[in-house]
Amino acid sequence: LVDDFPNLRFTLNGGVRTAEDARVHLDNGLHGVMIGRAAYETPWLTFSDADWLIYGVPSPGLSRLEILEKYADYATQELQQKPIRSMTRLIKPTLNLFHGEPGGALFRRSVDEELRTGRSVRDVLLRSAQFVCKEALRAVPGSCRTSQSWDEEAAVCS
């Protein structure tokens, strides 16, 4: 279609799970790619390398713990500016940051429990992060592990 209609712009929406997938589609002539479900379900796997794959710029190199801290600052500011916003809705994008990681399910469960305490966004996120393996918290984009190393780590972190 891109070749048949050069005066039109085409954006793909659906089925794209990673930044690598998006890069392939862009390299094949599409003008844009939308990533939906994967952005929520597996945000780290989906976007951790997007800066250099899509935009050609270096990653800021933030660990997941640093991302949680920055997100807590953002969410706190949003709640101060718009007090009617729901803390639960603001925290929701962080729930799958540790998808598939040792302690990821405990993180989600803890967030749910901590939200009921009335604690601040920062406290909810950082108290819940204590259940995630330190290696996963410190991981930065580009850090890669084999499934065997994750299995060994899960045994150590349990």
Side-chain angles (χ1 to χ4, degrees):
L1 284 176
V2 173
D3 292 337
D4 292 341
F5 301 96
N7 58 326
L8 297 178
R9 297 182 59 82
F10 290 93
T11 300
L12 177 65
N13 181 11
V16 180
R17 306 283 308 165
T18 66
E20 290 92 351
D21 293 344
R23 180 77 266 157
V24 168
H25 292 296
L26 293 169
D27 289 344
N28 286 324
L30 288 175
H31 300 93
V33 178
M34 295 174 63
I35 300 176
R37 199 169 288 125
Y40 173 73
E41 292 171 352
T42 55
W44 185 256
L45 295 174
T46 303
F47 293 121
S48 64
D49 294 328
D51 291 307
W52 67 269
L53 279 170
I54 304 300
Y55 303 105
V57 298
S59 165
L62 297 176
S63 71
R64 286 185 257 198
L65 181 58
E66 291 169 315
I67 291 169
L68 277 182
E69 291 169 339
K70 286 187 175 292
Y71 194 84
D73 293 341
Y74 159 77
T76 299
Q77 185 177 25
E78 282 293 305
L79 286 170
Q80 289 169 347
Q81 291 175 357
K82 303 169 192 162
I84 59 169
R85 299 262 336 232
S86 162
M87 187 186 304
T88 302
R89 283 193 175 163
L90 278 170
I91 286 180
K92 189 173 182 178
T94 68
L95 292 179
N96 288 320
L97 186 59
F98 303 103
H99 176 81
E101 307 287 355
L106 289 173
F107 171 79
R108 287 189 303 278
R109 192 171 322 137
S110 177
V111 166
D112 185 51
E113 292 169 4
E114 290 289 335
L115 281 169
R116 298 175 197 179
T117 66
R119 290 188 171 96
S120 70
V121 174
R122 178 173 291 280
D123 284 347
V124 167
L125 292 175
L126 297 183
R127 288 172 65 92
S128 298
Q130 71 182 334
F131 295 103
V132 178
C133 244
K134 294 197 183 347
E135 289 78 6
L137 282 170
R138 291 190 297 253
V140 296
S143 57
C144 180
R145 298 179 186 266
T146 66
S147 59
Q148 180 182 2
S149 67
W150 278 123
D151 292 341
E152 290 166 2
E153 184 176 306
V156 171
C157 293
S158 324

